[in-house]
Amino acid sequence: MILGAAVIQVELLKKKILAEGEVYEGNILKVDCFLNHQIDCVFLAEIGKEFHRLFENEGVNKILTIEASGIAIGAFVAQEFGCPLVFAKKTKTKNIAGDVYTTPVESFTHGTTYDIMVSKRFLGKGDRVLIIDDFLAVGNALKGLIELVKQSGAELAGCGTVIEKGYQHGGDSLREKGIKVESLAIIESMDAKTGEVTFRD
Amino acid sequence: MILGAAVIQVELLKKKILAEGEVYEGNILKVDCFLNHQIDCVFLAEIGKEFHRLFENEGVNKILTIEASGIAIGAFVAQEFGCPLVFAKKTKTKNIAGDVYTTPVESFTHGTTYDIMVSKRFLGKGDRVLIIDDFLAVGNALKGLIELVKQSGAELAGCGTVIEKGYQHGGDSLREKGIKVESLAIIESMDAKTGEVTFRD
């Protein structure tokens, strides 16, 4: 029964990507109609259940994500686990206060670097952290969030992302380090000319 | 029964503000331990139900909020209504593309002005919009969001905020214009020296 529901959620996600997603030149998959500008919250609540199923035996007691597009997904995952959500803030100005964990993140898409930060009050020893985000490509945002977890002395339970661009290998590189990374849909290739999207089996 | 639940939700919110909120000089109420940095999602899901109760007869078919701290609340409200959430993006650079609704918002707290924008694809005629945000003070963010609704040709169903600083009169000014504004906790006064917070009856 549970496996059946999981299959339905993942199949629905793939269907939504194929039906509503748009592929553009420059390796861009636009899913802002249901995932990161307009948000299908009934669907995301189901996605939250699936992440809960995937990580329910990992002792998770905190969800960590990054503003802005990770927040809604993270919120539904946190609701399932019955634990708090913390979102890392992006900033372009160096924060010199000693009350935050911070690390630079390089944006592969935009060719810029920004700092992310989390207040020391909300991450630390005793936390078993599940990192949640909408996209995983080269993995720079996830690596930044993992670095914040390390700085805080918390433990990393794993990473869950909705859509992984498998051909950019950020997910595989994290998995090779022994980190549990679960992506609900892994894209193997995209073609901006035809709009075709192929998933990893 | 429903009224009883509503009272419990609002009383719980007030208790959390008193127990976990911190008052600082410069009219600052910090509730980032449960509302806008670390987020108590089990609690926010209850808050979502209360906003649904307050607006369930208003024909709402879209929730509009603003990044970043409105997103989690908006997501739970949207889940209750079974409708999409759209979040307005903040940007410091003037967007000249014609595919967005945009308006400047003055930040009372920071003394700066930023533009907010929503893609034209996600707001328009036929939408009955409930605007949701975490805080209401002078009301500039809400006024900006209302302006985006107007530009789009959508109808405004009302505004719901978690915490209103009543003494800054942004909420009352919107109510005087005939807009339905519901805040779950309205603060009448705060004292940074004693940390005391007094609610409007």
Side-chain angles (χ1 to χ4, degrees):
Chain A
M1 283 291 280
I2 292 169
L3 259 177
V7 169
I8 289 165
Q9 284 149 0
V10 169
E11 286 310 309
L12 185 58
L13 171 61
K14 289 181 178 173
K15 268 190 188 166
K16 280 179 91 80
I17 292 169
L18 293 175
E20 301 172 38
E22 293 166 86
V23 184
Y24 292 96
E25 291 291 345
N27 182 34
I28 293 165
L29 174 66
K30 224 173 167 178
V31 286
D32 58 358
C33 52
F34 70 90
L35 193 60
N36 43 29
H37 184 14
Q38 176 169 259
I39 299 171
D40 183 338
C41 291
V42 174
F43 172 65
L44 272 203
E46 291 299 312
I47 293 288
K49 286 177 193 162
E50 174 60 2
F51 280 123
H52 180 259
R53 191 188 69 80
L54 290 166
F55 289 94
E56 66 184 332
N57 299 319
E58 303 292 341
V60 172
N61 63 8
K62 193 157 281 186
I63 309 298
L64 177 65
T65 188
I66 185 166
E67 66 176 356
S69 50
I71 295 175
I73 308 156
F76 288 116
V77 178
Q79 184 190 22
E80 288 300 320
F81 278 94
C83 74
L85 167 72
V86 174
F87 67 88
K89 299 183 182 193
K90 293 175 184 174
T91 171
K92 275 162 193 160
T93 54
K94 206 85 189 162
N95 188 299
I96 48 162
D99 53 354
V100 296
Y101 303 114
T102 181
T103 191
V105 171
E106 201 185 320
S107 167
F108 183 81
T109 315
H110 300 104
T112 55
T113 297
Y114 55 93
D115 286 332
I116 61 172
M117 60 177 64
V118 164
S119 167
K120 288 186 176 174
R121 292 181 298 147
F122 304 137
L123 206 59
K125 276 185 188 161
D127 287 335
R128 281 276 299 170
V129 181
L130 170 58
I131 295 173
I132 292 286
D133 206 0
D134 57 343
F135 266 99
L136 166 54
V138 295
N140 286 344
L142 284 193
K143 281 174 200 158
L145 291 168
I146 291 168
E147 169 60 26
L148 296 188
V149 171
K150 271 186 197 159
Q151 286 180 23
S152 77
E155 287 173 18
L156 180 66
C159 303
T161 68
V162 181
I163 301 174
E164 177 177 339
K165 291 175 175 170
Y167 55 90
Q168 289 187 280
H169 303 296
D172 295 330
S173 137
L174 291 170
R175 289 180 190 104
E176 280 162 19
K177 288 179 186 160
I179 296 170
K180 177 171 175 175
V181 179
E182 298 281 358
S183 298
L184 302 190
I186 303 183
I187 294 171
E188 209 49 88
S189 67
M190 299 195 310
D191 188 328
K193 286 193 190 100
T194 63
E196 200 178 3
V197 174
T198 310
F199 296 105
R200 190 182 287 183
D201 280 334
Chain B
M1 283 292 280
I2 291 169
L3 259 177
V7 168
I8 289 165
Q9 284 149 359
V10 169
E11 286 309 309
L12 185 58
L13 170 62
K14 288 181 179 174
K15 268 191 188 165
K16 280 180 91 79
I17 293 169
L18 293 175
E20 301 173 37
E22 293 166 85
V23 184
Y24 293 96
E25 292 291 345
N27 182 33
I28 293 165
L29 174 66
K30 224 172 166 179
V31 285
D32 58 358
C33 52
F34 70 91
L35 193 60
N36 42 30
H37 185 14
Q38 177 169 259
I39 299 171
D40 183 338
C41 291
V42 174
F43 172 65
L44 272 203
E46 291 298 312
I47 293 289
K49 286 177 193 161
E50 174 62 2
F51 280 124
H52 180 258
R53 192 188 67 82
L54 290 166
F55 289 94
E56 67 184 333
N57 299 318
E58 304 292 341
V60 172
N61 63 7
K62 194 156 281 187
I63 310 298
L64 177 66
T65 188
I66 185 166
E67 66 176 359
S69 50
I71 295 175
I73 307 156
F76 288 116
V77 177
Q79 184 190 22
E80 287 300 318
F81 278 95
C83 75
L85 167 71
V86 174
F87 68 88
K89 298 183 182 194
K90 293 175 184 174
T91 171
K92 274 163 193 160
T93 54
K94 206 84 190 162
N95 188 299
I96 49 163
D99 54 353
V100 296
Y101 303 114
T102 181
T103 191
V105 171
E106 201 185 319
S107 167
F108 183 80
T109 315
H110 301 105
T112 55
T113 297
Y114 55 93
D115 285 332
I116 62 172
M117 60 178 63
V118 164
S119 167
K120 288 186 177 175
R121 292 181 297 147
F122 304 135
L123 206 59
K125 275 183 189 162
D127 286 335
R128 282 275 299 170
V129 181
L130 170 58
I131 295 174
I132 292 287
D133 207 0
D134 57 342
F135 265 98
L136 167 53
V138 295
N140 286 344
L142 283 194
K143 282 174 200 159
L145 292 168
I146 292 168
E147 169 60 25
L148 296 187
V149 172
K150 272 186 197 160
Q151 286 179 22
S152 78
E155 287 173 18
L156 180 66
C159 302
T161 69
V162 182
I163 301 174
E164 177 178 339
K165 290 175 174 170
Y167 55 90
Q168 289 185 281
H169 303 295
D172 295 330
S173 136
L174 291 169
R175 289 180 190 105
E176 280 162 19
K177 288 178 186 159
I179 296 170
K180 177 171 175 174
V181 178
E182 297 281 0
S183 298
L184 302 190
I186 303 182
I187 293 171
E188 208 49 88
S189 67
M190 298 194 311
D191 188 327
K193 285 193 190 100
T194 63
E196 200 178 3
V197 174
T198 310
F199 296 105
R200 189 182 287 182
D201 281 334

